Amino acid sequence: MTPNLDADSAPTQNRALTEWVAEIANLTSPDKILWCDGSEAERARLTEIAIASGTLLPLNQKKRPNSYLHRSNPNDVARTEQLTFICSPNKNDSGPTNNWADPAETYARLRGWLKGSMRGRTMYVVPYVMGPLGSRFAKIGVEITDSVYVALSMRIMTRMGRAALEMLGGNGDFCRGVHCTLDLNPERRLICHFPQDNAIWSVGSGYGGNALLSKKCFALRIASVQGRREGWLAEHMLILGIQNPKGETTYIAAAFPSACGKTNLAMLTPPPAFAGWKVFTIGDDIAWMRVGEDGRLWAVNPENGYFGVAPGTSAHSNPNAMKMLEHDSIFTNVAMTPDGDVWWEGLDDHPPDGLLDWQGHPWNQNSKDKAAHPNSRFTTPMTNNPALSPHANDPRGVPISAIIFGGRRATTMPLVLESESWSHGVFMGATMGSETTAAASGAVGVVRRDPMAMLPFCGYNMGDYFGHWLTMEKSIKRPPKIFMVNWFRKDRDGNFLWPGFGDNLRVLKWILDRIEGRVSSEKTPVGGVPKISDLDIRGLEISADQLREDLAIKPAEWETEMNSAAEFFDKIGPTMPKLLREKHQHLVASLAANGA
Ligand code: OXD
Ligand code: MN
C-alpha cells in the first residue's frame, strides 16, 4: 500500500520538497514515510526501532549512557572511491581524477534499481542545515534514506529537523540526497553526484562516508562546485583556534587526507610545558571558507558532530575525544567487551578477555585479525567535545591566519615547511602526496598524489580547482600564510622522528611565530624550514640530530617527488594552470642546482 503522499501531511509548505519526496516515494514504494523533526523524543523512538531490528546494540548504559554499537555488513566498511561518480553533463567538467558517468543514463539505471526498493521499509526524510544557523555560509540539504542508522547519525552530524525546514521556507533550494541501502550488494553499489541538479544518489552502502550524504557528498563534492561558482572554498580541513597565555586566539585551517589525525589535531591537548596554552576545536573534517569584508578568509565548520576513526584514539593521543565518547555516541565496527563497553586497537595495551570482534565473533590476543576494524568509527555530537570553541556556532565563522597542508609521509617531507606566497602555497597543496589509509577500500600505505587532501572529494576538474584556488588570491586582501607539515617521517630504523599528538602544538607555535614575524625561517629550494633553535622543545626529549633529520631537505628525494608530481600534472592535462607548471619547472631547476 502506498502511504499518504498528500502534501498536507508534510511539515513544510515547500512545494519543490513535497513533490520530490512524493516522486521518490512513488518510485521506491515505502510502507511508511517519516519526516524527521530532530527532537529528543524522535531520537528515543528511532533508537528503539534500531535496537529492535538489531541495527544498534545497546552498550553498557551505566558506562556509556545513550551509546550504541553498530556492526556494518563486512563488505561495507569504508568509502568506495571506485564506485563514486561525478555525473556532470560534460565529462571534462569532472576531470581525469574522478569517475564520470552520463547523468541521464545514471539516473535511469539508479531508478531501475530503486523501483519498489523500500517496500516493507520506512522512508526517513531528513532535512538538515550545514553551517551555523543564521549564517551566510549555511546551506540546506534533505536526505531521503531507508536506514534508521543513517537517520540517527544525521541527527548527530548535522543541525537536523525542524530548524532546516524553517530555514528552507516555502521557496528555498536544497541539496536533494537519495540514499537506499538495497541489499548491500557491492554489485549494486554506486555513489553518484549530479552537481548541476544539486543532487546525490547513493545506493547499496550504509557506510558513513557513502551514506551520510551531508558529509563528503554534499559538504565537499557538491559544495566544491558551488564554491567555485560562488567564489568561496569547500575544503577537507579541520579548523582550530590556538589561545596563547596572553589570551589571544589565532585560527588555523588544516587539510590532511582521511585517517591522518585531523580529529586529534583539532582537539589537541597542549604538552605540560605549554602551561597557559589552549586549543579550541571549530571542526575536525570540513571547512567552508569565504572572504570577509575585512579581506580576510573566514571559515565555518558545516558539520555538527564528528565521525572519527576509533583505532589509535586513547588517553594519550586524544584525551578530549576519550571524554566526548563517554556518552551519546554511536560506535561502528569496534570490538565489544564482556560488560558491554567498547574497545579498539590503540585504546590501551590490554585488550580485555572475552572480547567480541567487530563482526561479533569471540576474539583473543592470538587471533590473527584485528579486534576492531581499522576503519571503525565513532559518531558523536560536537557539543560533547570539552575543547569545543565558543565560536563553533558563530554565524560569522572565524578568521583564518594560516592554512596547513599535511600528509602521511615516511620520507621526503620535513616536519614543517613554509611557502613564500599564496601561489607557492597552492603549488605545495597541489603537489601533496600521502600514504593511503583504511578510510578508503584498497591497498593501505601506498603513496599517492592527494592534492590538498581533496583527491577523493573534489566534485569537478582538479585543474579547474587549482585555478580556483589561484584566483581566490585576488579577493583575499589579507591572505593566510600557507604551510606544509608531516608528523609521520621515520628514521632509517622505521621509528617516527617526531612524537606527534599534543607535541604538534610546538610546530603550530612556530607557525604562529612566523605569522607574527617573531622568528625567521631558513630558505631552501622547496620552502622555509625552522631554525632548530626557534622550535620550542622545552620538556621534550629529542636530540638536535633527530630534529635535523626531521627537518632535512634531501634533493634526491625531492627529485623523485617532483617526478611524481609531474606525472600527476600531466594526467590533469590542459586545465592544469600554467603558473603551477612554471613553479614546478623552477623547483626542478633549483633542485638540480643543489645537487639532485
Ligand atoms: C572521513 C574520511 O570519514 O575522510 O572523514 O574518510
Ligand atoms: Mn575526512
Side-chain angles (χ1 to χ4, degrees), residues 79 215-216 220 236 256-259 262 284-286 377 457:
R79 283 184 293 100
K215 195 172 180 60
K216 305 303 186 183
L220 289 176
H236 191 204
F256 293 80
S258 310
K262 281 210 297 299
D284 81 325
D285 195 40
I286 297 174
R377 297 280 179 147
F457 306 122

Side-chain angles (χ1 to χ4, degrees), residues 409-427:
R409 296 298 301 271
T411 67
T412 317
M413 290 296 158
L415 180 61
V416 56
L417 195 58
E418 179 189 340
S419 68
E420 288 159 9
S421 60
W422 178 267
S423 58
H424 182 227
V426 173
F427 173 76

